[in-house]
Amino acid sequence: MASFAPPKGTDDIVPPASAAWRAVLREWDTWAERFGFGLLMTPVFEATELFARGVGESSEVVRKQMYTFEDGGGRSITLRPEGTAPTVRAYLASGVQGAWKVAYSGPMFRYERPQKGRRRQFYQVGAEHLDSEDPAADAAIIELGYRFLEALGVPGVEVQLNSLGDPEDRPAYLTILRTWLEERRDELCEDSRQTMELNPMRVLDCKACAPLLADAPTPVAHLGEDAASAYAAVKELLTEAGVPFVEEPRLVRGLDYYTRTAFEYVATELDAAQTALGGGGRYDGLAEAIGGRRVPGVGLAMGIDRIVLAMGGTQATSPLDAFVVATPGRDRHARGLVSRLRLEGARVDIADRGRSVKAQFKAADRSAAPVTLVVGDEWDQGEITVRRMADGTQETIGIEEITQWLEL
Ligand code: AMP
């Protein structure tokens, strides 16, 4: 092989940078469990039709970004570009009746022009609450994502909120919007002129046309009675839960299936290209679009790549509590100590056998463990030497004091 680099637009996520990824995945598990979401794992590939029908033929994802191929059996297969359509498919396949709350994490695939925070294989965490029409489900999903980002210490997170209305409200609104856009066709960018034909609402999202669109008719100003009262309820519930949000009437999402609630988590302190950490909304028509019965639902998805960028290395905690160094002839004792400490819950490591003490200290340094435990002749008196790596100070302590000393 001429090069060991991963394919264009993909990454190897390796230590020590991957420590932040591990922290994100753990935090996600913690919060998903606290909010009552079970674990869901679905295949990374699905029948192409699922995304064509589920995500929507007019979305950019389906039009331009899918990794689609024919498998050995002549089936058209697509690497999943997102997790919601697979979740709804899994719900319909499982035979479950009634509410279903599930959370997932894993790789997604989109053929994009790669840049920082925009990858061809990227990672999402997500949660979906199926078979619920209650605005409380929308509010809880939004709160889940907000608490998760808050716990990770991501600075400057803003929740942007909108309502896209019910499918029944849409034809009337789209007529108004289309007319408005037609009148300004010459002032729109080339992309927007194209998008306008396929899905006029998506034009609202165009950054290049933003100044012009400031006065465009918005879906939230044309809500039917039911969608309007649902939107009011979501806002009230978020306020009661103490989740701050800003209303963003021009927020529409990239995928076609959203109805009513749409939201995004924006990192206001990041560069423009990667500010959208995640988002989601309600998709009451999705299950029917993929050929199932009506199953209303609401969900969120967030990109781990961007969350890690937004954390900006703030979570650079040591991956180890201690590193153990064995002086000559003390290897057996040192390894016994490592086993015992691991059983007690400590994160501990030790170098390969037969390395000099100097080489072991070098490994200890590289590991970034805050403490090195040196097993020497004082072991026979039930003692070891502990060295604080930050300032090089050391002292001798009783073996039984170690766990206390490591604050386990
Ligand atoms: P979406 O499924 O398009 O609503 O995206 C949800 C979140 O996934 C976005 O806010 C990003 O954080 C992340 N995301 C989407 N596409 C990419 C990509 N190509 N590379 C990295 N992250 C992405």
Side-chain angles (χ1 to χ4, degrees), residues 16 73 132 171 242 260 289 316:
S132 171
R260 295 197 178 182

Side-chain angles (χ1 to χ4, degrees), residues 226-301:
D226 292 349
S229 73
Y231 187 45
V234 171
K235 288 190 282 185
E236 199 179 305
L237 287 156
L238 284 175
T239 304
E240 272 169 30
V243 178
F245 62 88
V246 293
E247 292 185 66
E248 188 49 77
R250 267 165 296 280
L251 170 71
V252 293
R253 307 265 308 133
L255 316 180
D256 283 358
Y257 47 58
Y258 290 104
T259 54
R260 295 197 178 182
T261 308
F263 59 91
E264 259 177 23
Y265 303 94
V266 177
T268 52
E269 293 178 18
L270 272 189
D271 293 346
Q274 314 112 26
T275 54
L277 299 181
R282 181 162 275 288
Y283 43 81
D284 294 346
L286 176 54
E288 283 165 305
I290 64 169
R293 63 181 189 277
R294 183 170 188 278
V295 183
V298 59
L300 72 85

Side-chain angles (χ1 to χ4, degrees), residues 21-41:
W21 290 70
R22 191 181 250 173
V24 169
L25 288 168
R26 283 203 177 132
E27 203 64 60
W28 176 248
D29 265 350
T30 301
W31 286 97
E33 269 193 313
R34 283 189 192 168
F35 276 68
F37 288 79
L39 173 69
L40 174 71
M41 299 203 274

Side-chain angles (χ1 to χ4, degrees), residues 82 110 112 117-119 122 124 253 255 276-279 301-303 305-306:
E82 58 96 54
R110 293 182 196 175
E112 309 224 38
R118 188 174 296 283
R119 316 300 296 153
F122 60 100
Q124 281 186 342
R253 307 265 308 133
L255 316 180
L277 299 181
M302 294 203 219
D305 307 64
R306 291 195 199 165

Side-chain angles (χ1 to χ4, degrees), residues 136-154:
D138 308 40
I141 281 275
I142 295 170
E143 185 186 359
L144 163 63
Y146 184 73
R147 298 291 174 226
F148 160 69
L149 293 173
E150 199 178 40
L152 285 171
V154 180

Side-chain angles (χ1 to χ4, degrees), residues 189 191-192 202-211 213 250 252:
C189 75
D191 255 7
S192 286
R202 295 243 27 226
V203 175
L204 295 180
D205 211 21
C206 176
K207 302 284 175 277
C209 301
L213 294 165
R250 267 165 296 280
V252 293

